[in-house]
Amino acid sequence: MHLYIHIPYCQSKCPYCDFNSIAGREDEFERYVSALLRELSRLPQGPYRTLFMGGGTPSILPPRLLERLCRGIAEHCDLAPDYEWSMEANPGSVDRQRFAIAADHGVNRVSIGVQSVHQHHLAFLGRGHTVEEADQAVAAAQTCFQRVSCDLMVGLPQQTMGELSLELDWYRRHGLRHASVYHLAFEPGTEFHAKYRRGDLSPIADDISQAMLHQVDKTLQEHGLEAYETSNYAVPGEECQHNLAYWQQRSYWAVGAGAVSTIDTLRCTRERHPGRYIAAIESGGDAVWSTEQLGPKELLAECWMLGLRLRQGVSQQRLRSYGDDPQRYQQRLSELCAMGYVTCHGDAICLTPSGRPLQDAITIALMPEDDFQPS
């Protein structure tokens, strides 16, 4: 079993972020933690293989509330012997005390939103921390957790290959065994998207983008980290098991504002606004805003989209179980293999290193048309 716990609060809203997060509202933290634990009490006790406290910024909670939340989770949830319990954190909102509290209650993995180790890029991204605080956060985390990951963003306007090399070398210097590397995108609803629509912000050229992604692949592999998913690299054995559960279409529970759970074929999305979420839980409701029953067509589409993200690829047997006949996509698959973008390993269809930067286009090429009806 897998469980996601959402903390929607941040010190400020980053201009590129389209996650369900909100700045400020510190006066709401206490009631929000109470609502989380109340919703959690209604869920099965486990055993849970993975838990993930994401956001927003879970580390923004004051030590007293972080301790209350972690203790409540640990008391309710039975954990599998080889469990993974992750917590997201941002430099500038964490310290040794918060990390120690989380570790004492069972958190054994932390993911830190560093994003850049150049101050001018941090300013562009709206990040509230300094490069020095990023170094301090990683050092503090490594005293409490065996598994520490950091996020990095590439494809920033004016970012140079030399700067990217320094960013990647930072991973080596800290001895990090997991990295999440995201290419900047102007997502609808964000400040950057509005600037893009006005012509005030432009994406980098495609050839530069691909060169940067190639440099990421090459350098992290030299550091011993392999790409096990489109944006994630790890020393073998250090992969994030919780995120793998999503990509492998496993069932997962969730609590919190805007949190999404998928149990078998039922997907439930909770009220996004934290104030309305709190009110719904306090009144005895479940805060579920929408439900969706996933049919064969939806499951097949997700099988293609999620499976091609993974190094291990998408299983053709699994595709057949969702009603997709290999004869439908065989010609396109052969063409993409001949172009060097896709390869087949036994039952699996996998993207090659050349194909990964073109993942979206390749996925669209292989997926069924909208009017396709699974057999």
Side-chain angles (χ1 to χ4, degrees), residues 122-264:
L122 289 174
F124 167 75
L125 292 170
R127 305 297 287 170
H129 65 269
T130 65
V131 175
E132 182 180 9
E133 285 173 327
D135 286 319
Q136 292 170 348
V138 172
Q142 289 174 328
T143 66
C144 297
F145 308 100
Q146 288 188 334
R147 306 184 69 193
V148 177
S149 175
C150 289
D151 292 358
L152 168 68
M153 293 196 73
V154 302
L156 311 182
Q158 311 305 319
Q159 187 178 27
T160 68
M161 296 297 289
E163 288 174 336
L164 178 58
S165 293
L166 292 174
E167 305 270 12
L168 296 169
D169 189 59
W170 185 88
Y171 280 92
R172 179 191 59 78
R173 288 191 292 106
H174 281 285
L176 294 167
R177 297 167 63 83
H178 188 286
S180 297
V181 184
Y182 302 105
H183 195 290
L184 178 65
F186 306 145
E187 302 291 353
T190 65
E191 181 182 333
F192 275 178
H193 186 261
K195 288 185 175 182
Y196 168 69
R197 293 288 299 272
R198 294 196 303 265
D200 297 335
L201 197 58
S202 300
I204 64 171
D206 287 346
D207 59 337
I208 298 175
S209 174
Q210 293 199 28
M212 286 187 166
L213 293 173
H214 175 74
Q215 181 68 14
V216 168
D217 262 359
K218 177 176 180 293
T219 304
L220 289 180
Q221 285 190 41
E222 291 170 353
H223 297 344
L225 284 73
E226 298 180 358
Y228 70 96
E229 189 269 343
T230 298
S231 301
N232 286 273
Y233 298 76
V235 172
E238 298 291 320
E239 299 87 353
C240 178
Q241 298 301 313
H242 184 85
N243 286 338
L244 280 171
Y246 295 149
W247 299 319
Q248 293 170 354
Q249 291 182 285
R250 299 179 194 165
S251 291
Y252 57 92
W253 299 90
V255 295
V260 179
S261 60
T262 303
I263 306 300
D264 296 325

Side-chain angles (χ1 to χ4, degrees), residues 21 36 73 122 136 178 223 250 284 288 302 311 317 338 344 350 356 374:
S21 60
L36 275 181
I73 294 170
L122 289 174
Q136 292 170 348
H178 188 286
H223 297 344
R250 299 179 194 165
V288 171
E302 291 192 359
R311 179 189 181 94
Q317 182 178 352
C344 293
C350 310
R356 280 204 298 272

Side-chain angles (χ1 to χ4, degrees), residues 94-103 136-137 139-145:
V94 290
D95 49 35
R96 177 74 180 274
Q97 180 187 12
R98 284 180 170 87
F99 282 146
I101 288 170
Q136 292 170 348
Q142 289 174 328
T143 66
C144 297
F145 308 100

